[in-house]
Amino acid sequence: MKLVEHFKQGLTSPICLTWELTYACNLSCVHCLSSSGRRDPRELSTAECKAVIDELQRMQVFYVNIGGGEPTVRADFWELVEYAVDHQVGVKFSTNGVKLTPERARWLAATDYVDVQISLDGATAEVNDHVRGPGSYDTAIRAMRNLKDAGFRGFKLSVVMTRHNVGQLDEFKAIADTYGAQLRITRLRPSGRGADTWDELHPTADQQLQLYDWLVANGEQVLTGDSFFHLNALGSDPLPGLNLCGAGRVVCLIDPVGDVYACPFAIHEEFLAGNVRDEGGFAAVWRTSELFERLRGPQTGGACTSCSAYDACQGGCMAAKFFTGLPLDGPDPECVKGHGELALAGVSAAPRSHIDHSHRTTRQARKTGKVPVSIGFGPPEGGTRPDRACDTSPLAGFQPAR
């Protein structure tokens, strides 16, 4: 049996587990998958997080991708990283770099089984800050400089591809090389706040071809997180990675309140499999969830199976389909054969996630169609006490890393 066929049936433990520790974030990125901003008062406690780590150790999960929100704003973040490493669970965490001081960078460089992923969505401040907020480019560059100065080599520079930065791929690679990092590029998904900005941000058909050609030429040196298998239909040269939607089969997501979703890009009740607080914990959800069992069963592929490119692209991304209103057995919205564009013409409405922890200013602006991107470090001068725990600024009184 081919390895990919084995993966389709699911594994006893996930290969890639994403764990969002908090919805709190100092930024309001316009494409945020989880609509993060404010902390949820129901988020897992330190003790509960350690219990999950114990479970992952028993399941022999070798490493976990930690994100958010901005995970480093949790007061116990570094404690949890140490606990995971001490229990043979490696950690790769994604951060905008706001708390990566020179001191912390030196600590990371001396710690085994920890990797760092710095988020940057423009090779220039103008392009990046349009998406991630004023000052976020400088924050990320400073964090990378601190890691380089500390002797940390091989950390990741993570880029979400948009129509504004596809033309900067060589520049991103140069930035990664400058700081001793490895470039990692991922696909924009129309989920969370990304649903509001999908039409503006997702790459054009010409840019999809440009991206494919660049990956064919440079893919062996660049990580993709298996984001672009829908592009395989463009040519005879397959892109490196797993040509398969791994949702509920080899990947899943634990969110800050312990809910387990089939896919890190599909935070929606339709893909909610259970909660780590339920009897049996995470292992029971992974191994016995009806949703996961269904995803691991034979998939029809729908109309896509009649396409000559189906074996190459496998119908594309489940989350991208779902959040654009397309059926899961239909074409990817960015289908390079044009089938997605035709299918989208018949869509009247698309589902939205039931999760939204956006900062209030961001929520208000979304109603008017103007989503601000701003970076802040606490309540405005003369501000009032928040009336709910999740309205508390995660960085109140904090000064950014120098």
Side-chain angles (χ1 to χ4, degrees):
M1 179 185 294
K2 291 182 179 180
L3 187 60
V4 69
E5 294 300 321
H6 186 66
F7 285 168
K8 285 182 179 179
Q9 299 173 14
L11 303 177
T12 56
S13 300
I15 288 177
C16 180
L17 171 66
T18 297
W19 187 358
E20 295 186 343
L21 281 182
T22 184
Y23 284 121
C25 190
N26 56 305
L27 300 182
S28 294
C29 300
V30 300
H31 59 2
C32 180
L33 293 165
S34 56
S35 297
S36 288
R38 297 175 298 148
R39 185 182 71 85
D40 192 311
R42 302 170 299 156
E43 69 184 28
L44 299 175
S45 67
T46 302
E48 287 175 315
C49 288
K50 288 182 176 179
V52 171
I53 293 170
D54 291 340
E55 199 169 5
L56 298 181
Q57 181 186 25
R58 290 192 294 270
M59 294 176 70
Q60 296 185 326
V61 174
F62 295 116
Y63 81 97
V64 59
N65 290 314
I66 291 181
E70 171 52 45
T72 63
V73 303
R74 266 192 68 135
D76 60 359
F77 174 72
W78 304 109
E79 177 184 350
L80 292 175
V81 170
E82 286 191 85
Y83 188 85
V85 171
D86 289 344
H87 288 75
Q88 294 79 50
V89 178
V91 171
K92 178 171 72 178
F93 69 92
S94 298
T95 176
N96 57 48
V98 70
K99 284 202 169 186
L100 286 190
T101 62
E103 293 76 18
R104 184 54 67 184
R106 288 192 290 271
W107 182 86
L108 287 166
T111 304
D112 292 330
Y113 306 113
V114 177
D115 196 8
V116 186
Q117 189 165 279
I118 306 294
S119 298
L120 190 72
D121 293 330
T124 59
E126 179 183 12
V127 173
N128 177 82
D129 292 5
H130 173 72
V131 173
R132 303 188 61 83
S136 57
Y137 179 87
D138 291 339
T139 298
I141 294 296
R142 182 169 55 241
M144 288 191 286
R145 184 182 304 117
N146 288 343
L147 288 170
K148 178 184 179 182
D149 291 347
F152 196 124
R153 296 292 182 267
F155 65 90
K156 309 303 181 286
L157 169 58
S158 181
V159 180
V160 176
M161 300 311 304
T162 71
R163 69 180 55 177
H164 303 298
N165 66 19
V166 169
Q168 296 183 321
L169 281 163
D170 288 335
E171 294 171 70
F172 281 122
K173 184 66 169 61
I175 292 173
D177 292 343
T178 295
Y179 294 100
Q182 184 174 19
L183 180 60
R184 180 180 187 269
I185 63 174
T186 59
R187 185 181 178 187
L188 176 74
R189 264 82 171 194
S191 51
R193 287 196 293 271
D196 297 318
T197 53
W198 169 259
D199 289 337
E200 175 202 344
L201 292 181
H202 81 91
T204 65
D206 287 343
Q207 288 177 324
Q208 298 276 6
L209 178 58
Q210 179 184 351
L211 177 57
Y212 171 78
D213 289 339
W214 193 89
L215 283 172
V216 168
N218 300 275
E220 294 297 334
Q221 306 172 49
V222 177
L223 300 175
T224 64
D226 303 316
S227 289
F228 301 106
F229 59 87
H230 70 293
L231 298 181
N232 279 329
L234 283 169
S236 57
D237 295 314
L239 300 179
L242 179 64
N243 182 20
L244 172 74
C245 172
R249 295 162 164 170
V250 296
V251 303
C252 70
L253 167 79
I254 301 176
D255 86 344
V257 301
D259 282 336
V260 181
Y261 294 90
C263 171
F265 311 114
I267 303 176
H268 188 279
E269 292 164 320
E270 185 80 12
F271 304 105
L272 178 58
N275 190 286
V276 299
R277 286 169 167 151
D278 295 339
E279 185 177 356
F282 172 73
V285 177
W286 178 257
R287 292 168 179 166
T288 66
S289 160
E290 292 183 9
L291 170 65
F292 287 175
E293 288 180 1
R294 188 165 68 250
L295 290 171
R296 293 163 188 167
Q299 306 295 314
T300 66
C304 284
T305 55
S306 63
C307 176
S308 61
Y310 179 72
D311 288 341
C313 76
Q314 295 288 316
C317 173
M318 179 182 75
K321 298 177 193 181
F322 181 79
F323 285 112
T324 51
L326 297 176
L328 298 188
D329 63 354
D332 189 288
E334 293 183 299
C335 169
V336 297
K337 298 292 187 180
H339 302 309
E341 187 176 354
L342 291 174
L344 286 171
V347 173
S348 57
R352 293 297 297 263
S353 175
H354 60 296
I355 301 295
D356 191 346
H357 287 79
S358 301
H359 296 293
R360 285 184 170 174
T361 53
T362 308
R363 276 182 162 177
Q364 188 175 15
R366 287 170 72 177
K367 295 178 181 179
T368 65
K370 298 179 179 178
V371 182
V373 282
S374 61
I375 183 168
F377 300 97
E381 188 175 354
T384 58
R385 182 182 179 86
D387 59 2
R388 295 195 307 155
C390 61
D391 293 334
T392 305
S393 168
L395 295 176
F398 175 73
Q399 296 299 315
R402 298 297 180 188

